[in-house]
Amino acid sequence: MAVSPNSCLSRYLLTFMLLQLPRLDSASFDVIGPQEPILAVVGTDTQLPCHLSPNVSAEHMELRWFRQTLSPAVFLYQNQQEQVREQMPEYQGRVTLVKDNITTGHAAVRIHGVRASDDGEYRCFFRENESYEEAIVHLKVAALGSDPHISMEVQDSGQVQLECTSVGWYPEPQVQWRTSTGETLSSRSVSKNPDEEGLFTVVASVIIGSDSIENVSCSIQNLLLGQEKEARISIPASFFPRLTPWIVSVAVVLIVLGLLTIGSIFFIWRLYKERERTSKFSSTEKLLEELKWKKATLHAVDVTLDPDTAHPHLFLYEDSKSVRLEDSRQKLPDKPERFDSWPCVLGRETFTSGSHYWEVEVGDRTDWAIGVCRENVIKKGSDPMTPENGFWAVELYGNRYWALTALRTPLPLAGLLRRVGIFLDYESGDISFYNMTDGSHIYTFPSISFSGPLRPFFCLWSCGEKPLTICPVADRPEGVIVIANSQDLSKDIPLSPMGEDSASGDTDTLHSKLIPSQSNQGLP
């Protein structure tokens, strides 16, 4: 029996439509991401947006941003709240949801303090019942490194070797040597090695063997940002003929003799100064001891934690002196003064004038921030903690110490911080931090004219068994003095407040879980 081509085609079309019916029922929306990659600079904040088509509400959907696998995720929004149980450790405390337009299907995650490791592909996944779709978002991370530095070394052959170094680049930059006429020189060697944070350190060298070359520049380019940094060095034309091997040897001998002479003079000067310092030590020590108890009497304050401001993941101890971050979330009244995004808590005390000093035991905890903030800082949301937003704090994050300035300032400390002293002078606009282990200065924010009340500020970025503790006076280090200005002994700051430790006593209004106070709140 013959079958017409038209009847075969009709059957194929019918079969195809039947197979597509389940998918048409389930595909009630599409998820759309940005067409172009998103460019972010290391240390800044960036957003990864996605939206629904058509623009239906995503408020009751499951929203998930992930990388290679669905779980653990970069961020998970489910049952109308953030779910941290499935979050990747490297994104905990760094990612928040931007849901201002979630009712029209628009949502984004904001990554705070972008790192080199954040570079790559992300997927945003939206689910409603059995319907789900996803889109791809590409994040390009870049960092502009330090200004190049060129060093010069004369070799035995009379040639000159130039070495160019720079740190903090991402991705791998391009290095180029050029003469003053624009001629490109071939590098003898180039190394680009990433550090612990994934940022590249560049070391490039070139050999100059001609006295016709007087000026050389080292240019390092970040192709992703379209920017470069350049350093120049001048080489006198008369320099090359004189650099015979025996001249080099004589020059080395003269330099060594000169260094020995300078070293001898310096050694004698040090002996003289040591003898002079010893003669004055006794009177200076008495003056410092006298200033120590006077400053403590004038400036020490007893700081306690305010439970009405504590984030629901923060658990306070009964004495209101210690706080710990836990995975579980407490059911607390949504008061205007309570933090709902950053895991932070304020001190009860407010300062509108005068000088004040207190100490915080951080022990061997990781990922914390402490300092001072305005009483009226925004607590509903995740604005950056910067002086412009009313925060003056130092932070331990990612195994590095930072001052939370507009572009975070790294703090090159010699050792680990165990106890931190915080000094506030309201009238002079001074907020300073001190290392209580050795009395050394950590950081002072640029002077500012304050207006309105200020309060102590505490924040924890990771969970841990040991709490962050406001130091009791009886546990202060003995015999340690902070000298704020070595030229003016009247500005010495004591490291321990004088006064008695006091519990808040107000437990009736505290709805969070109160952890029994310990006999020794100080951490090892």
Side-chain angles (χ1 to χ4, degrees):
M1 178 180 177
V3 180
S4 68
N6 290 334
S7 61
C8 291
L9 180 59
S10 300
R11 285 200 299 271
Y12 291 151
L13 289 175
L14 180 60
T15 303
F16 176 80
M17 292 177 64
L18 291 174
L19 291 174
Q20 294 299 310
L21 283 177
R23 178 168 181 82
L24 292 173
D25 292 339
S26 61
S28 57
F29 58 84
D30 288 324
V31 178
I32 301 175
Q35 299 298 315
E36 300 295 331
I38 296 172
L39 179 60
V41 177
V42 169
T44 63
D45 298 347
T46 191
Q47 292 187 181
L48 306 181
C50 287
H51 68 274
L52 293 174
S53 178
N55 295 333
V56 297
S57 174
E59 186 174 9
H60 300 283
M61 291 186 180
E62 174 189 329
L63 310 182
R64 181 190 300 262
W65 277 258
F66 64 94
R67 302 203 71 170
Q68 286 80 18
T69 59
L70 276 173
S71 181
V74 173
F75 186 87
L76 174 59
Y77 174 84
Q78 194 177 53
N79 298 326
Q80 295 185 268
Q81 63 181 0
E82 174 186 351
Q83 304 292 334
V84 298
R85 64 183 185 279
E86 294 186 35
Q87 193 171 28
M88 300 169 69
E90 58 266 33
Y91 290 98
Q92 290 180 1
R94 285 204 309 130
V95 181
T96 54
L97 179 65
V98 180
K99 55 179 182 177
D100 298 341
N101 298 313
I102 195 171
T103 56
T104 60
H106 290 73
V109 289
R110 178 180 292 134
I111 302 178
H112 301 271
V114 171
R115 305 172 182 172
S117 58
D118 295 332
D119 184 271
E121 181 181 286
Y122 294 76
R123 292 177 181 268
C124 53
F125 175 93
F126 287 38
R127 185 204 301 266
E128 182 178 39
N129 299 326
E130 299 302 322
S131 300
Y132 59 87
E133 287 293 342
E134 64 181 49
I136 297 177
V137 183
H138 292 279
L139 177 62
K140 296 291 185 181
V141 176
L144 194 64
S146 63
D147 292 333
H149 172 73
I150 301 177
S151 61
M152 182 172 62
E153 179 183 354
V154 180
Q155 298 183 329
D156 293 339
S157 62
Q159 295 179 315
V160 176
Q161 176 175 295
L162 303 179
E163 186 174 81
C164 178
T165 59
S166 180
V167 300
W169 294 84
Y170 192 86
E172 287 190 33
Q174 299 296 317
V175 184
Q176 192 174 69
W177 293 94
R178 290 192 293 261
T179 66
S180 57
T181 60
E183 179 186 357
T184 301
L185 301 176
S186 298
S187 298
R188 181 184 183 186
S189 64
V190 178
S191 66
K192 305 171 187 176
N193 298 316
D195 59 16
E196 294 180 354
E197 296 183 358
L199 303 180
F200 287 92
T201 297
V202 179
V203 180
S205 63
V206 67
I207 297 294
I208 307 298
S210 172
D211 58 1
S212 62
I213 300 177
E214 297 182 0
N215 297 293
V216 178
S217 66
C218 171
S219 172
I220 304 180
Q221 303 173 331
N222 187 312
L223 301 180
L224 193 58
L225 292 175
Q227 300 183 46
E228 69 175 9
K229 290 194 174 183
E230 185 179 60
R232 295 178 179 274
I233 190 170
S234 297
I235 307 173
S238 59
F239 184 75
F240 290 92
R242 300 178 182 177
L243 292 180
T244 57
W246 71 271
I247 288 292
V248 174
S249 300
V250 172
V252 171
V253 171
L254 291 176
I255 291 174
V256 172
L257 291 176
L259 291 176
L260 290 175
T261 302
I262 295 173
S264 300
I265 295 173
F266 179 73
F267 179 72
I268 295 173
W269 178 80
R270 284 292 300 272
L271 287 178
Y272 172 77
K273 286 294 183 181
E274 183 68 22
R275 183 175 298 176
E276 184 181 21
R277 189 192 67 82
T278 303
S279 64
K280 297 180 179 180
F281 178 76
S282 179
S283 59
T284 302
E285 185 180 42
K286 291 180 181 179
L287 178 58
L288 289 175
E289 288 297 327
E290 182 180 357
L291 289 173
K292 175 181 178 181
W293 70 264
K294 287 183 178 180
K295 289 289 184 179
T297 303
L298 292 173
H299 303 317
V301 292
D302 185 21
V303 174
T304 55
L305 301 174
D306 183 357
D308 290 338
T309 66
H311 186 277
H313 280 282
L314 291 180
F315 288 71
L316 275 60
Y317 284 64
E318 289 179 342
D319 59 359
S320 295
K321 290 284 188 178
S322 299
V323 60
R324 192 170 74 216
L325 178 67
E326 295 188 5
D327 288 332
S328 57
R329 183 183 179 92
Q330 305 167 92
K331 294 183 179 179
L332 301 176
D334 187 14
K335 298 184 177 182
E337 63 269 26
R338 187 180 307 282
F339 287 92
D340 70 349
S341 181
W342 297 125
C344 303
V345 61
L346 300 184
R348 291 178 183 270
E349 294 68 28
T350 59
F351 307 124
T352 56
S353 63
S355 298
H356 311 276
Y357 175 81
W358 63 96
E359 297 176 11
V360 180
E361 186 81 24
V362 297
D364 56 4
R365 280 200 55 89
T366 59
D367 302 334
W368 48 260
I370 57 176
V372 179
C373 73
R374 292 194 183 98
E375 185 176 41
N376 62 349
V377 293
I378 296 177
K379 304 177 181 67
K380 306 300 182 182
S382 52
D383 286 351
M385 295 179 185
T386 62
E388 289 74 11
N389 292 330
F391 294 89
W392 295 269
V394 295
E395 175 185 61
L396 170 60
Y397 193 82
N399 297 322
R400 294 186 64 180
Y401 295 99
W402 309 85
L404 297 183
T405 51
L407 294 176
R408 293 192 306 169
T409 302
L411 302 176
L413 303 182
L416 298 177
L417 291 178
R418 297 286 182 175
R419 179 181 295 193
V420 179
I422 305 170
F423 180 74
L424 164 65
D425 188 333
Y426 194 98
E427 280 74 15
S428 66
D430 177 23
I431 298 178
S432 299
F433 298 83
Y434 297 90
N435 182 354
M436 309 321 304
T437 302
D438 56 11
S440 60
H441 175 256
I442 297 174
Y443 185 77
T444 296
F445 280 88
S447 180
I448 186 173
S449 178
F450 297 120
S451 61
L454 302 179
R455 298 178 69 175
F457 162 74
F458 311 84
C459 197
L460 294 175
W461 301 121
S462 62
C463 301
E465 295 183 359
K466 296 183 179 179
L468 197 72
T469 302
I470 303 171
C471 297
V473 175
D475 194 32
R476 71 180 189 274
E478 295 294 336
V480 181
I481 302 294
V482 168
I483 302 179
N485 187 340
S486 60
Q487 302 300 322
D488 185 2
L489 293 177
S490 66
K491 295 182 180 179
D492 293 357
I493 300 172
L495 292 194
S496 299
M498 295 292 182
E500 296 297 331
D501 183 20
S502 63
S504 65
D506 185 14
T507 59
D508 293 336
T509 61
L510 179 61
H511 300 287
S512 63
K513 173 184 176 184
L514 290 178
I515 304 174
S517 60
Q518 302 172 350
S519 60
N520 182 9
Q521 294 289 351
L523 298 177

